[in-house]
Amino acid sequence: MTSQAIQTQGLTRRFGATTAVDHLSLTVETGEIFGFLGHNGAGKTTTVRLLNGVLGADGGDIRVLGLDPAADGPKLRARTGVLTETPSLDERLSAVDNLTIYADLYAVPTGEVNGRVNGILETFGLAERGREKVGGYSKGMKQRLALARAFLHQPDLLFLDEPTAGLDPVATQEVHDMILHVSREEGRTVFLCTHNLVEAQRLCHRVAVMEQGQMVAVGTPRELAHTIGADMRFTLEIAPDQVETARAAVIPLAAVSAVETTDAELTLTVNDREAVPDLLAALQAAHVRVYAVIPQQTSLEDIYMALHRRKGQA
Amino acid sequence: MMNGRAIRAIVRKDLKVVLQSKAVLIPLIMVPLILLVIIPAVGGLLLANTDPSSPAITDFRRETGAFFDNLPGTINDRLQQYDSEVQRITYVVFNLYFPAMYLLLPTMVANVIAADSFAGEKERKTLEALIYTPTTDRELYVAKLISPWLAGVGVGWIGYIAFALIVTLTTWSLMGGVFVFDLAWLLLILWVTPAAAGIGLGAMVLVSSRVSTFQEAYQLGGVVVVPVLLLLFGQLGGVVYFSPLVAFVVGAILWAITVALIVYGARTFHRGELMARL
Ligand SMILES: Nc1ncnc2c1ncn2[C@@H]1O[C@H](COP(=O)(O)OP(=O)(O)OP(=O)(O)O)[C@@H](O)[C@H]1O
Ligand SMILES: [Mg+2]
């Protein structure tokens, strides 16, 4: 058994003049949560379809769980679970019916179907309304049910296409907890498509950034920050009555590219590490008392923006 | 080897979903009810209560004289067994007018349900999850064909039983027995009905890739089916005498068209292409 859940080499798919996926070479390790980031139309959904053998590739090699999706589609799909972009639920049927049908389709052992369906409805907080028609569910409930359906046959590899799009913060948090649970407790591999950078940062071990079908960066969020050399951010804790003084003292410094203030904090973005000692010296000269210097991790958002700027310059 | 459990799951789902849809159920119930229950009941009661010597009968017989005189020999022999003109007219009405009408039902039912299960699934956006299941293309295709076909044959058979009962009961005083069952009817039911359902299905196989909603599929499906049926049944102004031989031949033609359409559909059914057109 290979330790790579997914491996592609030069994977390409065109739709007419559009190249939806353009020579994508990608490796996803078994057990990781892999973030697949990109704007609308970047090629995320198309990639998921190619990886599951439900759409043909125009070129390149694919191995998923050691199988070739084009040749062994059914065998492969028995071991993957997919949360599609739209929940794709039968709204005229109940949650129990929706899940039972898919338990049969994914060959859940016959004797276990009822237990599995009821258990997963319980886990996803839908047990009480499991016999109601799905058409009457809220968006969050539908999303949870679709997620439950993707987990039902305990797949080795989960594809989640924008699992929290359109959900409120509470529902989003619940979905995040579920994803972390199946990853940490059950050791499943997760391929997470999203354009939510905070989500990717919170959940993913590694992320790939897609633009117009091409992968423009890949690595841990920290690695990306380093390779791209994105700006550095940190927060200073100071006395409330000195916030304005501090602000006035740092703004003239060339290395400072942004200043955000709250009632007792100053968050600075600098484009050079060497600027930090100078900055502290300037504050001291202005008699600002600094109680703490808290480094802020470079967010994916910064990486994303940096990539965009680079692309714009090129 | 096909995965029977997966196929049964899809068939069960499609039938369950259909039963929840008014747009599908209303034509499914109303048309058989009108054609096979209400019209035969009214006709049967009228005929059973007609005075055999009434001028209406003599007039009708005179106007349709040519028609009666040119009936094939076998049916003429059968008609000679009856004493009265009303009995003969009753026999002709239910054995000549109704079979063709009856055969529209399995076709229509299979057509409506296939429209719902092919195009409706696309419209309701439930197809994508189905495409991702570990079924093969062949299993998915076969599963999608079974529920409309079963429903077409089922409604046909139940419809026939209702029709035979209604006709027999309403005309009992006149005819004194069952007269809408013979070898020709048996062939119609067992041989032609499944083929007629197949035509409704085959038409949908042909049009489903070109439509994206249930309504479009339903209408375009009708455009394909109606001419075929008209060609077959419409020759004599809507009246065909289904002798056993005619029933057999019509069935064979319908089966041939059905098989051709379904084989054509199987060749062009690939989930990759369905996905690209989603
Ligand atoms: N079936 C199709 N037919 C034609 N073009 C398509 C098809 N599927 C995708 N495309 C095109 O391929 C490109 C990538 O689409 P894809 O849906 O993979 O993007 P995405 O990253 O999932 O976007 P989103 O965030 O909007 O879901 C887009 O330009 C899209 O228009
Ligand atoms: Mg997408």
Side-chain angles (χ1 to χ4, degrees):
Chain A
M1 206 53 232
T2 54
S3 71
Q4 269 98 46
I6 300 172
Q7 229 173 350
T8 72
Q9 201 52 250
L11 180 60
T12 301
R13 169 72 203 213
R14 283 178 279 270
F15 292 104
T18 320
T19 306
V21 177
D22 194 356
H23 294 88
L24 176 66
S25 298
L26 174 85
T27 305
V28 176
E29 305 293 333
T30 300
E32 75 175 328
I33 303 181
F34 187 85
F36 205 53
L37 277 162
H39 285 300
N40 294 131
K44 304 181 295 291
T45 300
T46 305
T47 303
V48 172
R49 291 174 175 177
L50 293 168
L51 293 176
N52 280 279
V54 297
L55 193 67
D58 290 322
D61 294 319
I62 323 178
R63 286 263 135 193
V64 181
L65 301 174
L67 299 165
D68 171 7
D72 289 316
K75 210 164 149 194
L76 166 64
R77 290 192 297 274
R79 295 176 54 200
T80 65
V82 183
L83 173 77
T84 50
E85 220 165 349
T86 49
S88 203
L89 298 162
D90 260 306
E91 305 221 337
R92 298 181 195 162
L93 302 180
S94 69
V96 170
D97 281 342
N98 267 287
L99 293 179
T100 307
I101 286 158
Y102 275 79
D104 284 341
L105 285 167
Y106 280 95
V108 171
T110 326
E112 289 178 30
V113 172
N114 285 341
R116 197 85 78 87
V117 166
N118 292 331
I120 208 155
L121 284 174
E122 195 73 54
T123 311
F124 283 79
L126 295 166
E128 273 177 32
R129 299 181 62 183
R131 308 234 158 240
E132 277 175 43
K133 279 195 196 140
V134 173
Y137 278 19
S138 74
K139 194 174 167 123
M141 291 169 72
K142 285 180 194 168
Q143 191 71 358
R144 270 184 288 161
L145 178 59
L147 208 54
R149 186 179 59 187
F151 290 177
L152 186 64
H153 57 292
Q154 303 173 341
D156 297 326
L157 172 58
L158 267 165
F159 292 90
L160 306 177
D161 201 346
E162 304 188 15
T164 58
L167 298 190
D168 68 27
V170 177
T172 299
Q173 185 59 51
E174 285 169 1
V175 169
H176 287 173
D177 292 344
M178 290 293 169
I179 295 171
L180 289 173
H181 173 82
V182 294
S183 165
R184 287 182 192 154
E185 314 295 322
E186 301 174 12
R188 306 189 193 286
T189 311
V190 179
F191 188 93
L192 174 75
C193 299
T194 181
H195 43 226
N196 181 340
L197 300 159
V198 178
E199 175 169 282
Q201 195 161 26
R202 188 182 295 173
L203 300 176
C204 300
H205 301 110
R206 289 195 309 141
V207 296
V209 182
M210 295 288 289
E211 285 222 47
Q212 292 169 356
Q214 297 179 341
M215 191 168 74
V216 291
V218 64
T220 62
R222 185 186 293 265
E223 279 169 3
L224 287 193
H226 275 290
T227 36
I228 290 160
D231 297 344
M232 185 177 167
R233 275 155 59 90
F234 56 93
T235 299
L236 303 173
E237 209 179 295
I238 49 184
D241 60 350
Q242 291 194 307
V243 169
E244 274 315 306
T245 321
R247 194 183 147 84
V250 298
I251 279 184
L253 297 175
V256 175
S257 59
V259 181
E260 298 152 49
T261 54
T262 62
D263 47 359
E265 279 175 6
L266 207 62
T267 298
L268 302 170
T269 307
V270 296
N271 56 22
D272 182 6
R273 216 176 129 76
E274 287 305 316
V276 180
D278 297 346
L279 204 141
L280 289 174
L283 287 168
Q284 202 165 24
H287 304 288
V288 176
R289 296 169 68 83
V290 178
Y291 300 105
V293 181
I294 308 154
Q296 302 285 314
Q297 261 195 16
T298 310
S299 72
L300 274 171
E301 197 126 33
D302 300 327
I303 296 168
Y304 216 77
M305 292 306 161
L307 279 170
H308 256 285
R309 272 201 301 277
R310 264 217 216 150
K311 206 170 158 119
Q313 284 158 10
Chain B
M1 257 293 283
M2 293 228 260
N3 177 350
R5 185 176 170 204
I7 292 176
R8 279 196 303 278
I10 296 173
V11 172
R12 204 156 16 92
K13 169 184 100 73
D14 283 348
L15 290 177
K16 260 190 176 169
V17 166
V18 159
L19 290 179
Q20 302 291 334
S21 159
K22 286 200 186 71
V24 180
L25 267 193
I26 289 174
L28 279 191
I29 293 173
M30 292 310 288
V31 177
L33 200 67
I34 293 169
L35 287 185
L36 296 183
V37 176
I38 296 175
I39 295 179
V42 171
L45 286 174
L46 279 177
L47 286 161
N49 294 299
T50 303
D51 174 4
S53 58
S54 83
I57 291 295
T58 353
D59 286 354
F60 181 81
R61 185 64 183 81
R62 194 176 50 243
E63 277 161 28
T64 57
F67 173 73
F68 268 77
D69 296 340
N70 289 321
L71 284 172
T74 40
I75 198 168
N76 258 328
D77 295 345
R78 184 81 171 77
L79 288 178
Q80 294 318 312
Q81 296 170 6
Y82 294 113
D83 313 323
S84 83
E85 213 61 70
V86 189
Q87 285 174 322
R88 285 183 204 118
I89 291 171
T90 305
Y91 184 88
V92 165
V93 163
F94 288 111
N95 282 284
L96 269 69
Y97 281 88
F98 272 90
M101 232 198 277
Y102 159 76
L103 283 179
L104 288 176
L105 282 184
T107 308
M108 182 207 81
V109 170
N111 201 46
V112 173
I113 295 195
D116 189 68
S117 108
F118 292 22
E121 186 121 58
K122 219 190 299 186
E123 192 178 0
R124 295 190 296 275
K125 303 199 185 304
T126 51
L127 189 58
E128 190 170 6
L130 206 54
I131 290 178
Y132 271 113
T133 59
T135 48
T136 61
D137 289 357
R138 184 59 48 89
E139 284 161 358
L140 207 51
Y141 181 64
V142 168
K144 282 275 142 200
L145 295 182
I146 290 178
S147 53
W149 187 77
L150 276 183
V153 174
V155 170
W157 287 355
I158 294 168
Y160 171 75
I161 292 170
F163 164 78
L165 274 174
I166 295 283
V167 169
T168 305
L169 290 177
T170 52
T171 62
W172 192 268
S173 58
L174 179 69
M175 307 297 279
V178 180
F179 65 98
V180 284
F181 184 75
D182 55 18
L183 181 61
W185 273 109
L186 199 66
L187 278 166
L188 278 184
I189 292 156
L190 297 181
W191 170 245
V192 189
T193 297
I199 287 284
L201 198 59
M204 204 45 66
V205 168
L206 205 61
V207 305
S208 66
S209 64
R210 293 165 182 82
V211 297
S212 50
T213 66
F214 164 71
Q215 282 300 337
E216 272 172 21
Y218 182 33
Q219 282 154 12
L220 200 54
V223 170
V224 175
V225 166
V226 170
V228 175
L229 296 181
L230 280 184
L231 264 180
L232 280 174
F233 307 144
Q235 321 267 13
L236 303 163
V239 182
V240 190
Y241 170 54
F242 279 95
S243 66
L245 181 66
V246 171
F248 179 79
V249 171
V250 165
I253 295 171
L254 292 178
W255 273 120
I257 300 174
T258 298
V259 169
L261 289 174
I262 286 173
V263 168
Y264 163 80
R267 293 234 177 95
T268 51
F269 188 94
H270 299 297
R271 70 182 66 217
E273 274 146 50
L274 287 182
M275 199 53 128
R277 272 190 263 107
L278 220 54

